[in-house]
Amino acid sequence: MKKIGFFLLLMLGLNMAYAQNIVVESDKSLKADFSKYTTFGWATQVVDAQNAIFFLNDLILKANVLHAIEHEMESRGYEYNQQKPDVVINTRVFDKPGQLMGFTDPASTYWGTNEVRDPDSKKAYDFEAGTLLIQMVDRKTGRPLWQGFASGLMDNNVFDKKKEKIDEAVSLIMKEFNQRADNLSKR
């Protein structure tokens, strides 16, 4: 009995050591009016069948990421329309650390007061290698609407490409995207 208990404790410890902390960040433009968006499509480099460079040169990883995002968008009532989408989605996986530009959080200001923020205020987000990024852009204006990313998908300098891990990361990112189209009247 002691051996079984020790074995279970050891397995639990190994699982906890393997468990990764996924860190999610997101932001959106103050000018974004999501009540006018009901359809989505992919950026051209994302739908290029041969292009896997933005997904660690892995077409299976690319397919898993796109499927997970598509599932999340459709579960929110958005319809896929590659020909004339309201929102164009870009996504990629970074193999090196870097920095993304985003919008300033309205509560964090230089003076520490709740000033009115300029809609074009910028904020830099540092990210680590293995970060998954999802960006949404208004197709008509080309203006960025929303972006979210998840870091913490590396294990010993190797990106965790398991479908379950990708689904979890996309789900966590999309929880930050708290918009729905299924409660909007269709145009």
Side-chain angles (χ1 to χ4, degrees), residues 25 28-29 40 42 45-47 65 69 79 98 104 107 117 124 130 132 137 142 176-177 181-182 184:
E25 295 261 3
K28 73 175 191 175
S29 168
F40 73 97
W42 301 108
Q45 76 272 8
V46 174
V47 292
V65 169
I69 295 170
E79 292 180 22
T104 307
R117 107 178 187 197
L132 171 62
V137 175
E176 299 280 318
F177 178 68
D182 51 9
L184 301 174

Side-chain angles (χ1 to χ4, degrees), residues 24-159:
V24 177
E25 295 261 3
S26 72
D27 63 357
K28 73 175 191 175
S29 168
L30 288 179
K31 294 179 181 178
D33 177 9
F34 283 95
S35 67
K36 63 183 185 177
Y37 305 115
T38 59
T39 62
F40 73 97
W42 301 108
T44 46
Q45 76 272 8
V46 174
V47 292
D48 178 2
Q50 302 304 313
N51 190 352
I53 192 166
F54 298 121
F55 298 89
L56 306 177
N57 269 335
D58 187 327
L59 289 172
I60 294 173
L61 171 63
K62 176 181 176 180
N64 286 341
V65 169
L66 297 185
H67 177 74
I69 295 170
E70 196 166 298
H71 171 75
E72 290 288 337
M73 291 298 286
E74 289 174 348
S75 71
R76 288 168 171 73
Y78 291 90
E79 292 180 22
Y80 175 74
N81 180 344
Q82 189 59 34
Q83 299 306 313
K84 223 174 175 187
D86 300 326
V87 175
V88 175
I89 299 177
N90 184 35
T91 183
R92 74 179 291 178
V93 175
F94 293 92
D95 60 348
K96 295 181 175 117
Q99 190 175 74
L100 291 170
M101 293 307 292
F103 305 98
T104 307
D105 180 350
S108 64
T109 63
Y110 181 79
W111 300 108
T113 61
N114 287 330
E115 305 168 3
V116 175
R117 107 178 187 197
D118 181 321
D120 292 320
S121 298
K122 301 288 187 236
K123 177 180 179 179
Y125 292 96
D126 294 320
F127 61 86
E128 54 193 59
T131 295
L132 171 62
L133 169 70
I134 302 170
Q135 294 175 313
M136 297 182 189
V137 175
D138 182 301
R139 182 186 61 82
K140 289 180 183 172
T141 66
R143 293 190 69 99
L145 301 171
W146 180 88
Q147 69 181 4
F149 62 90
S151 295
L153 301 171
M154 298 287 274
D155 185 31
N156 293 324
N157 293 327
V158 176
F159 189 81

